[in-house]
Amino acid sequence: MEKLQLSSFVIFVKNIEVSKKFYTEVLFQEIEMDFGVNVGFKSKLALWQKDYALNIIFGKETKAPDSNINSEIYLETEEIQELWKNVSSKNIEIIHGIIEQPWKQRVFRIYDPDKFIVEIGEPMPAVIKRLSAENFSPEEISKQTFIPVEGVKAILSL
């Protein structure tokens, strides 16, 4: 099994624009990606609009079990199926099994022993390569993943 890599530490914020301004103008964080409701900085800190994040994690019909949930630990692996088999065979509290996010990334979420949310996802380059193998064009992949077509083509050329 490939080692899990910490990809980012994500905090859920009430107002993404206010928080983005704070982190860029006060703490001089450089934006690496900005998807509106999700902003990633080069430092690997990420912001996620809280109401959107909780709807993605718990579903639109489900209320989050704790209104004070404000963060998640995000790890990546290309071996998501194998890790899921291992995790699901243990006595671990599962938030949800493997699901596909709106941007086509497959993820699952669990709680750690202290009820911190841990998300395990496939790296976006793996998502792009999977979609390409499913015969999607770079332009179609770009639309589905929100990654600019130039970035998709660069990943596919590796």
Side-chain angles (χ1 to χ4, degrees), residues 14-75:
K14 292 178 188 172
N15 184 314
I16 195 81
E17 292 303 321
V18 169
S19 293
K20 182 170 54 172
K21 185 174 181 177
F22 172 80
Y23 282 97
T24 57
E25 294 180 10
V26 176
L27 299 180
F28 307 106
Q29 295 296 295
E30 290 182 62
I31 294 174
E32 184 170 44
M33 64 173 189
D34 186 343
F35 297 121
V37 294
N38 183 295
V39 176
F41 298 101
K42 290 182 179 179
S43 65
K44 301 304 179 194
L45 171 66
L47 309 175
W48 208 359
Q49 181 71 39
K50 185 175 182 175
D51 55 351
Y52 182 77
L54 295 179
N55 282 333
I56 292 289
I57 294 168
F58 296 103
K60 295 185 186 316
E61 302 299 320
T62 306
K63 289 201 127 226
D66 180 354
S67 62
N68 291 324
I69 295 174
N70 291 312
S71 63
E72 78 176 1
I73 299 164
Y74 175 61
L75 304 164

Side-chain angles (χ1 to χ4, degrees), residues 80-147:
I80 193 164
Q81 290 291 143
E82 293 81 2
L83 186 59
W84 170 248
K85 287 178 189 172
N86 182 49
V87 167
S88 62
S89 71
K90 302 198 179 315
N91 188 23
I92 295 172
E93 189 172 358
I94 296 170
I95 298 171
H96 62 74
I98 296 176
I99 60 171
E100 191 173 272
Q101 302 288 16
W103 50 92
K104 301 299 180 189
Q105 180 187 38
R106 295 179 302 168
V107 305
F108 65 88
R109 290 183 177 90
I110 58 177
Y111 286 115
D112 82 351
D114 293 302
K115 294 288 251 187
F116 286 102
I117 296 173
V118 178
E119 176 184 355
I120 313 296
E122 59 184 338
M124 287 308 292
V127 174
I128 289 169
K129 290 174 183 174
R130 177 173 50 83
L131 293 174
S132 178
E134 294 172 6
N135 295 316
F136 287 98
S137 71
E139 292 75 18
E140 291 169 321
I141 294 170
S142 175
K143 286 180 187 174
Q144 292 182 37
T145 62
F146 311 116
I147 294 174

